[in-house]
């Protein structure tokens, strides 16, 4: 029962400042309830505490090691520490933050998603909080839902591909000698949390079986196929049935249909919510029985701020309402995850060696917030920039016009190599390139600004791409060059085709490993609708 219990860290913190573990409170939870997991940060609110905005990796590690030493003294396995880490190890002060999932999805770059997952996992391991409640695999389907920005968007395929990549990156094994050796992803929220009927958070979803399986299941299936180690069920009801108490969803769909074999944890207070919020149970005790005795799938209750779950579970077990075999199934899943993370000491050791003493672990902690981490975050941010509206800058010249649409075909190959800035002569004799583009865009107003100088695909000889020698002209220059070639190929002034009839266009997506990553950019506005 203790292995199935997860408490908020506030349950074992001392009162007042400085923030520290209260040994008496901790020992009570370990000795009386045999606690298996902690979660959250003391700084999860909006205000600083005790003059600080958070613990850095060393402070986190010292706190968690204090807990683990106490667990060993009580003859218990190490606790598993879980925390929300959706866009970097955001509760670790000094860790590098990454774009929110919706921003990351705008890169359309799976290798970048995997790298972001790896960085989050690395920093989480450094802080000794290796269980990350991420990625979020809901498919955004209601614009009023307040958590859209946390998703990978509204396309099930994109959500599935990006989510699987993040899982792979998060769970990549660390360096030799690093403790913990791994970090575990937790796919959430299963299932259809992102489809509230009226857009309000935690509102129920009403879905046909076909819509559920075609739209909301594929991302979770992709994460299972990628080897995700844990999952979190969701707050809401699906077709009138609370997910937390649904054998059909958590056993039939998740375990049997998707083949998920890892640890399944509830969301915040969801077992209690069967009584308090969903009104599906007549008492807290019936809520525990419905969630644990009925589904045979939930492994851990995120209680999180009282002892009710442990007390009620012990009472139900004592009278035979929940049998020993049911408890063994979940306890074994929890222990397997701890073993996979490298938390359990190899036999015959009784307790693990001190975590922070290995040179590899010291280097791991020192790597948090490094320049290379910042460079990755910068690359991720650049790759997510999206042109939402094609219109002249507010401060631009009055005569400046929106960019015409990109050519649906590669520009004609230049008839001569051109100068050092990559200019060439397109079909029809119109020279296009950076200088001409600057003149077209700027009209003396400064040419391409920083918001336009996003990477373009590298020059592809013979395909007519007009770019600088290093292949990194600004986005607007690339657009300008392609625009000029397109206009030349169709005749100056166009052919009379209405702009609205032209298809939306995308910059090509450069594959990973070819000089970095580039996001697709949707061009919208009066010249091209999409």
């Amino acid at each position: 029962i203790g292995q199935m219990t997860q408490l908020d860290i506030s349950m074992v913190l001392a009162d007042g400042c400085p923030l520290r573990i209260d040994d008496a409170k901790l020992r009570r939870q370990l000795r009386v309830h045999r606690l298996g997991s902690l979660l959250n940060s003391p700084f999860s609110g909006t205000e600083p505490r005790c003059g600080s905005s958070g613990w850095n990796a060393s402070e986190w590690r010292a706190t968690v090691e204090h807990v683990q030493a106490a667990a060993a003294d009580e003859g218990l396995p190490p606790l598993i520490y879980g925390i929300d880490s959706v866009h970097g190890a955001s509760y670790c002060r000094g860790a590098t933050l990454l774009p929110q999932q919706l921003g990351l999805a705008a890169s359309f770059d799976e290798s970048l998603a995997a790298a972001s997952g790896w960085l989050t996992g690395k920093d989480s391991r450094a802080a000794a909080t290796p269980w990350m409640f991420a990625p979020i695999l809901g498919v955004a389907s209601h614009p009023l839902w307040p958590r859209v920005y946390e998703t990978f968007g509204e396309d099930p395929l994109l959500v599935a591909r990006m989510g699987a990549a993040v899982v792979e990156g998060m769970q990549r094994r660390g360096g030799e000698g690093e403790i913990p050796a791994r970090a575990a992803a937790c796919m959430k929220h299963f299932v259809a949390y992102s489809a509230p009927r009226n857009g309000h958070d935690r509102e129920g979803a009403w879905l046909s079986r076909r819509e559920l399986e075609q739209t909301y299941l594929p991302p979770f299936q992709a994460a299972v196929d990628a080897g995700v180690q844990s999952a979190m069920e969701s707050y809401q009801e699906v077709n009138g049935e609370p997910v937390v108490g649904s054998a059909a969803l958590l056993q039939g769909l998740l375990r049997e249909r998707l083949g998920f074999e890892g640890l399944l944890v509830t969301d915040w207070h969801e077992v209690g919510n069967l009584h308090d919020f969903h009104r599906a149970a007549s008492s807290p005790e019936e809520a525990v029985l419905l969630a644990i005795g009925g589904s045979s799938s939930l492994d851990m209750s995120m209680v999180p701020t009282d002892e009710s779950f442990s007390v009620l579970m012990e009472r139900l077990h004592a009278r035979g309402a929940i049998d020993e075999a049911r408890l063994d199934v979940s306890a074994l899943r929890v222990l397997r995850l701890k073993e996979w993370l490298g938390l359990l000491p190899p036999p015959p050791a009784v307790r693990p060696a001190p975590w922070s003493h290995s040179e590899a672990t010291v280097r791991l902690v020192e790597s948090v917030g490094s320049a290379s981490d910042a460079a990755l975050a910068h690359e991720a941010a650049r790759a997510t920039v999206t042109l939402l509206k094609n219109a002249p800058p507010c401060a631009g010249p009055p005569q400046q016009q929106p960019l015409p649409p990109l050519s649906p075909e590669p520009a004609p190959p230049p008839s001569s190599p051109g100068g050092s800035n990559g200019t060439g002569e397109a079909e029809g004799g119109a020279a296009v390139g950076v200088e001409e583009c600057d003149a077209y865009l700027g009209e003396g107003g400064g040419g391409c600004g920083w918001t336009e100088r996003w990477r373009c695909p590298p020059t592809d000889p013979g395909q007519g791409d007009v770019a600088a020698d290093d292949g990194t002209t600004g986005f607007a220059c690339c657009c300008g060059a392609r625009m000029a070639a397109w206009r030349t190929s169709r005749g100056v002034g166009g052919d009379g085709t209405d702009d609205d009839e032209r298809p939306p266009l995308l910059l090509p997506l450069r594959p990973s490993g070819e000089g970095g990553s580039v996001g697709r950019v949707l061009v919208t506005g009066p010249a091209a609708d999409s």
Side-chain angles (χ1 to χ4, degrees), residues 408-423:
E409 301 294 337
S415 57
S416 63
S420 62
N421 65 357
T423 60

Side-chain angles (χ1 to χ4, degrees), residues 407 409-416 423-432 462-466 481-492:
S407 171
E409 301 294 337
S415 57
S416 63
T423 60
E425 189 168 283
E427 181 182 350
V432 293
Q463 296 300 313
D465 287 298
V466 182
R482 287 179 174 272
M483 173 277 303
W486 175 79
R487 285 172 61 86
T488 300
S489 69
R490 296 172 67 92
V492 176

Side-chain angles (χ1 to χ4, degrees), residues 159-378:
V159 176
R161 297 286 290 272
M162 297 295 279
V166 168
V167 167
E168 186 278 324
M170 283 181 163
Q171 297 188 165
R172 200 174 297 165
R173 189 176 182 88
E176 186 67 28
E178 294 177 356
I179 302 174
R182 287 190 173 111
C186 182
M187 63 180 186
K188 64 180 189 181
H189 308 80
F190 189 85
V191 59
Y193 179 41
S194 58
R197 179 169 51 175
N198 60 10
H200 294 175
D201 191 33
R202 305 194 190 191
E203 172 64 20
W206 293 85
L207 303 168
S208 68
R209 184 75 177 188
R210 179 172 181 174
E211 186 178 7
L212 178 66
E213 296 189 3
Q214 287 190 346
T215 301
Y216 299 98
L217 282 191
F220 291 97
Q221 182 68 74
V224 172
D225 294 342
V228 69
Q229 291 296 305
S230 64
M232 182 184 296
E233 60 80 38
S234 60
Y235 281 117
Q236 92 296 356
E237 303 167 8
V238 173
N239 298 332
E241 182 180 29
V243 174
V244 68
S246 174
L249 294 175
L250 300 184
Q251 179 64 32
L253 202 57
L254 178 62
R255 299 289 189 186
E256 298 171 10
R257 170 73 179 276
L258 301 189
F260 176 67
E261 298 179 349
L263 186 156
L264 176 61
V265 64
T266 74
D267 210 328
W268 187 273
H269 190 59
E270 263 303 279
V271 171
N273 279 342
L274 281 169
H275 171 256
D276 302 339
F277 177 75
H278 299 293
R279 306 299 185 187
S282 60
S283 66
E285 182 175 303
E286 185 182 353
V288 173
L289 182 61
L290 177 61
I292 304 301
S295 73
S296 296
S297 184
L298 280 170
D299 300 310
M300 183 178 288
S301 173
M302 189 184 294
V303 184
T305 55
D306 58 47
E307 300 178 353
S308 61
F309 179 76
S310 297
V311 171
L312 293 173
M313 282 283 286
E314 291 165 8
R315 185 183 303 168
L316 289 166
H317 175 254
R319 73 166 190 250
I322 297 179
D323 62 31
E324 194 86 15
R326 169 66 185 91
L327 303 181
D328 288 345
V329 169
S330 288
L332 182 59
R333 289 188 186 127
V334 176
L335 293 173
R336 281 176 176 168
L337 180 58
K338 292 180 178 182
E339 181 182 40
W340 185 87
L341 289 168
L343 299 180
L344 298 182
V350 176
R351 61 194 299 169
W355 283 11
S356 297
H357 289 187
S358 73
E359 292 184 5
T361 301
V362 171
R363 290 194 299 270
L364 175 65
V365 173
E366 291 175 346
S367 75
V368 174
S370 66
S372 58
D373 292 353
L376 173 59
H378 185 222

Side-chain angles (χ1 to χ4, degrees), residues 425-475:
E425 189 168 283
E427 181 182 350
V432 293
V434 175
E435 292 178 357
E436 290 77 2
C437 179
D438 275 350
Y440 169 78
L441 289 174
E443 298 292 340
C448 296
W450 72 269
T451 54
E452 291 86 19
R453 291 192 181 278
W454 307 327
R455 287 186 184 175
C456 289
T459 300
D460 186 359
Q463 296 300 313
D465 287 298
V466 182
D469 289 344
D470 64 358
T472 57
T473 64
F475 166 75

